[in-house]
Each structure stands twice: as C-alpha cells, then as structure tokens.
Amino acid sequence: MLQKVLQYINSHALATSETKILAAVSGGLDSVVLADVLHRLKLPFAILHCNFGLRGEESDADELFVRKLAKQYDVPFYSEQFQTQAFADQEGISIQMAARTLRYQWFEQMRQQLGYDVIATAHHQSDALETVLLNLVRGTGLAGLHGILPRNGQLIRPLLGLTKDDLYDWLVTKRLIWREDSSNESRKYNRNLVRHEVIPVLKQLNPNLEETFTQTLERLQGAEAVFRASFSQIKAKTQREENGVVYLSIAPLQESPAPVVLLHELLKPFHFSYAQAQEIAAAWQGLAGKTFASPTHVLVKDREDLVITPKPLEQFGSVLLPEGVAELRFGPYLAKIAAKPAQGYKVPRSKDVAALDADLVKFPLRLRPWKQGDWFIPLGMNGKKKVSDLLIDRKIPANLKPDVWVLVSDASLTWVIGQQLDNRFKVTENTQHILEITVTRA
C-alpha cells in the first residue's frame, strides 16, 4: 500500500521529500493511517489536532491519544480547543459546518505561522463518494459533482487513491491502535446516514462502486479544468485585493454569460452559498450599503464593487504566538513582545504589561479568550484561582467579560491579560532572561 500511496502523491504532485507537511489527525482510523504512512514514507510532517469540545471527556481523551501518537513518531504536535457550539449558535449554522469552518481556518493559520508547505487530510475514495452524494441531495454545481480533489490550494489528500477497506487492512496488518468516535454511528448526521444506509444499497447495484465512481470523477475533473481555464481569466478582470480586503468589480460580472454562477465561484472561498449569490446579484442595481454575511466573511455592496472582509474568528479558538515575533494582533488587541536583559530590570506596574521569566515559558505561546474552567495561580499566592472568580472579584461587567483573553504556555495560563499574572512565571532574583509583553487595544 505504501507504494500505491507514493505513486498517487507523485502522480498528482502533492509532495516531495522536502515538502513540510501538517497532518490533520483526529485519532480515528483514517487519520491514524495517514500519520503512519507519512512516517513510513519518511516525509517531514507535524501533527495538528482539533478538539471541538463536543463529547466532553471523550474529546479530551482523543487529544491525549493523538499527543502520544506524535510522541511515538517523534514529530511536533499542535492542538486547538474550539468553542464550536458558541460559533454555531452565533452564525445559525450546523455543528458540522461550524467545526469544518473553524478547523480549516485554524489549519491555514497554523500553516502560515509555522512555515509549513501543505496540510494533509486523511480523505479517501469512500469519503469522496459520500461527499458527492450529499452535494447532489443539497444541490450543487460542477465542483460539487467532482467531490474531493487530490489537491485544493494548500490542502492535499494523499490517501484519496485508497478505499476504506484498504485503510482498515493496513491497520490490521500493522497492528495500529485508533480511537473510535461514538458520533460516527449516529444517524442524525447526514453523512452517517449516507454511509450506513445509502451506499450499501448502491453497492448492491454495483459492487465496484468506488472504482467506477473514481473513473467518473476523473472525467468530471477534466471538464472542470476546462471551465477553470476560462474562469481564471474572468477572475483576473474582476477580483483584486488590498490590505486583506477583497474587491469584486460588478460590471464584468453583469456582462458575463452566467453572472450568478460566476459570482458564486468567486464567493465560494468566502463560504457564501449559491442562494446568497442569487440575492447579491439581485442587489446589484440597488443602493450601496446592503450587507450579506457568511460564517467567515462580510460582504458589502458598494457603488461599483462588492467589498469582502473577514470576520474575527479568534474568539472561538486561539492565536499562536511563535518565538521571535515582535508584534501580533489578536481579537481587539495588539501585543508587542520584547526580550529584556534581567540585570537592572524593573518590573512595570502597568496592568497592560506582563514581565515573564523567559526560561519558564514554552513557545509557541497561545492567546485566546478565557473560558469556564480556566484557572491560574495569582501573583503572590500559592493556591489556584478560577478566572471566572477573578473577574467577579474585579467586578468586570458581564458584557466585557468576553473581551478578556489569556496567555497560555503549553497547558498553563501565564497571564490573565490586563488583570493578573500567574505566580509560576514571575520574574525573581534568579531570573536570567525576561520576556516582556505589552498589550493595548488595536
């Protein structure tokens, strides 16, 4: 199987021996095979793990399992705990859509900040089949019919040439251990319903369903390639970006033969639906200022352009602070980071400045909003204190509590930003190196 995967990687130009890969590993069967295959192929990789906090202790056990797996393969491990339910409630979307949005936004953030080349997911032929069937039920265009691509931007799928049975056989042969997600059996999720109820019936009609389907996908992908060649020319005339803001010129779209279809293709990277593309196109002749929102972006109809800006999603996850960064924006704040000599250093009295013993913190640090259950050891004390109790003691108004962030080293809170430093990381007479972080509103 290794040779088959390697051939697939090479034939689709997914990676080389020098490509730095971030592998998305949940701990389930598919992703455990992905990690094992990358390890046996001796490709340089690190492991990313998402903890969506939806299954309580089971989710935490998954994270611990993947952390141990990374240690076993001797590769870097990075994890994130998301406030998935809060994001789903705010945006009025399903838990699955919320998890997907947060997951891929974090993947790309980590890829850029850590300097990796690609992100590898463990999708296989059976996943591709399920995706197309779901797209057909929901309504889809050409891209939805071809399903999951071997490569999509910086996302790669090295296992897409394999079936689920191939992965299971590999696990058994190599005696690998994996975690079983209890939600995979629940019929309340549409994908599980397709997997357990629909596909078995289709396989009765065609026992070689995955193989036949893969051939069909290849033809559909070829047809889309022809479309993409034309679309790229239209995109070059229509889309521009300035300082992180995307502008779509309305006039070229209006003059195109299929304006709504083209508009939707331009808007898909920003997670707008086809129905929203129809509404936006209908507003072209209206007054400027009408606003539309996707889970990740806001679009405003201006006089001659559609103006697209990202939503701040950090409040549902975290922002990574790598070593050596001098300045970083997060949420509504700006952090300035500096290394200071210990000799002659005077600890600032400002609540907006944290002076930490640099030898006690572990990079990369994390910045994230506080959450229930967070605790730390307040400066000058030995016992634990919940952040929620600190905010009550400080009489922080309820509407300002969501704006309180924390600085985390490994799994330990080092600073409740703007409120209190953790005693374990304070500067003492034995401190040799100082990390000074100043936080102000951006």
Side-chain angles (χ1 to χ4, degrees), residues 304-376:
E304 299 178 351
D305 299 306
L306 303 174
V307 184
I308 305 170
T309 53
K311 289 181 179 179
L313 300 185
E314 296 92 344
Q315 60 181 303
F316 303 104
S318 69
V319 176
L320 200 67
L321 176 56
E323 190 171 10
V325 171
E327 190 170 291
L328 182 70
R329 290 181 180 271
F330 64 98
Y333 301 106
L334 172 68
K336 293 186 177 181
I337 306 96
K340 299 285 186 178
Q343 187 173 2
Y345 182 82
K346 293 184 178 180
V347 176
R349 294 182 177 273
S350 172
K351 63 183 180 63
D352 297 323
V353 181
L356 307 171
D357 188 320
D359 294 320
L360 298 179
V361 300
K362 181 179 179 181
F363 283 97
L365 302 174
R366 287 187 182 278
L367 295 151
R368 63 167 174 80
W370 77 281
K371 58 188 178 184
Q372 290 294 335
D374 279 343
W375 61 269
F376 72 119

Side-chain angles (χ1 to χ4, degrees), residues 151-213:
R151 183 173 193 135
N152 184 8
Q154 307 308 318
L155 282 171
I156 63 171
R157 283 86 179 211
L159 307 185
L160 204 53
L162 306 175
T163 67
K164 185 77 168 186
D165 289 341
D166 291 331
L167 304 190
Y168 185 76
D169 290 344
W170 182 263
L171 280 167
V172 172
T173 302
K174 301 302 179 183
R175 298 182 179 180
L176 301 177
I177 300 173
W178 75 95
R179 293 275 301 173
E180 193 63 56
D181 185 342
S182 60
S183 65
N184 285 338
E185 298 301 317
S186 173
R187 300 304 198 269
K188 73 177 183 178
Y189 298 125
N190 291 337
R191 183 173 289 273
N192 291 346
L193 194 62
V194 169
R195 179 180 302 159
H196 298 298
E197 303 290 344
V198 177
I199 290 180
V201 175
L202 294 178
K203 282 191 172 183
Q204 291 178 15
L205 300 174
N206 180 5
N208 298 318
L209 182 63
E210 280 101 344
E211 182 179 347
T212 304
F213 180 72

Side-chain angles (χ1 to χ4, degrees), residues 19-134:
T19 303
K20 295 176 64 179
I21 301 170
L22 282 174
V25 180
S26 66
L29 186 156
D30 305 345
S31 63
V32 166
V33 172
L34 173 64
D36 190 64
V37 165
L38 293 176
H39 171 69
R40 292 176 188 272
L41 289 175
K42 294 181 170 54
L43 295 174
F45 76 103
I47 286 178
L48 293 177
H49 176 77
C50 297
N51 184 338
F52 295 108
L54 299 173
R55 294 176 290 116
E57 293 181 358
E58 189 177 342
S59 293
D60 294 336
D62 288 347
E63 181 176 342
L64 180 60
F65 171 81
V66 178
R67 185 184 293 273
K68 291 179 178 178
L69 191 67
K71 188 174 182 180
Q72 174 187 330
Y73 291 135
D74 192 26
V75 297
F77 172 79
Y78 305 97
S79 65
E80 177 66 290
Q81 295 189 11
F82 294 101
Q83 299 181 48
T84 316
Q85 186 66 59
F87 178 58
D89 293 343
Q90 175 180 289
E91 298 299 328
I93 57 179
S94 69
I95 284 291
Q96 293 83 2
M97 177 60 74
R100 174 183 171 81
T101 301
L102 292 170
R103 174 169 65 246
Y104 285 107
Q105 183 266 348
W106 180 62
F107 285 170
E108 179 58 17
Q109 172 192 321
M110 293 293 286
R111 187 191 71 80
Q112 293 184 24
Q113 290 187 348
L114 297 173
Y116 279 74
D117 300 309
V118 294
I119 299 154
T121 64
H123 291 98
H124 47 78
Q125 287 182 5
S126 306
D127 289 322
L129 174 58
E130 293 166 8
T131 297
V132 171
L133 292 174
L134 284 169

Side-chain angles (χ1 to χ4, degrees), residues 280-436:
I280 294 166
W284 281 342
Q285 305 300 332
L287 297 174
K290 190 163 186 180
T291 301
F292 304 85
S294 76
T296 58
H297 289 77
V298 173
L299 181 151
V300 177
K301 188 266 175 184
D302 203 2
R303 292 178 178 83
E304 299 178 351
D305 299 306
L306 303 174
V307 184
I308 305 170
T309 53
K311 289 181 179 179
L313 300 185
E314 296 92 344
Q315 60 181 303
F316 303 104
S318 69
V319 176
L320 200 67
L321 176 56
E323 190 171 10
V325 171
E327 190 170 291
L328 182 70
R329 290 181 180 271
F330 64 98
Y333 301 106
L334 172 68
K336 293 186 177 181
I337 306 96
K340 299 285 186 178
Q343 187 173 2
Y345 182 82
K346 293 184 178 180
V347 176
R349 294 182 177 273
S350 172
K351 63 183 180 63
D352 297 323
V353 181
L356 307 171
D357 188 320
D359 294 320
L360 298 179
V361 300
K362 181 179 179 181
F363 283 97
L365 302 174
R366 287 187 182 278
L367 295 151
R368 63 167 174 80
W370 77 281
K371 58 188 178 184
Q372 290 294 335
D374 279 343
W375 61 269
F376 72 119
I377 299 177
L379 187 65
M381 297 177 60
N382 294 319
K384 298 179 181 178
K385 188 180 185 73
K386 289 185 177 180
V387 174
S388 57
D389 291 338
L390 173 72
L391 300 183
I392 292 173
D393 294 345
R394 296 288 175 90
K395 295 183 171 56
I396 304 298
N399 61 326
L400 296 183
K401 288 182 179 180
D403 284 343
V404 176
W405 285 57
V406 294
L407 179 69
V408 183
S409 170
D410 202 3
S412 301
L413 267 63
T414 65
W415 184 27
V416 182
I417 296 174
Q419 301 297 330
Q420 186 77 61
L421 193 70
D422 188 291
N423 196 63
R424 294 168 293 178
F425 299 89
K426 68 182 179 181
V427 173
T428 68
E429 60 183 12
N430 296 320
T431 298
Q432 297 181 12
H433 306 94
I434 294 172
L435 180 69
E436 185 180 275

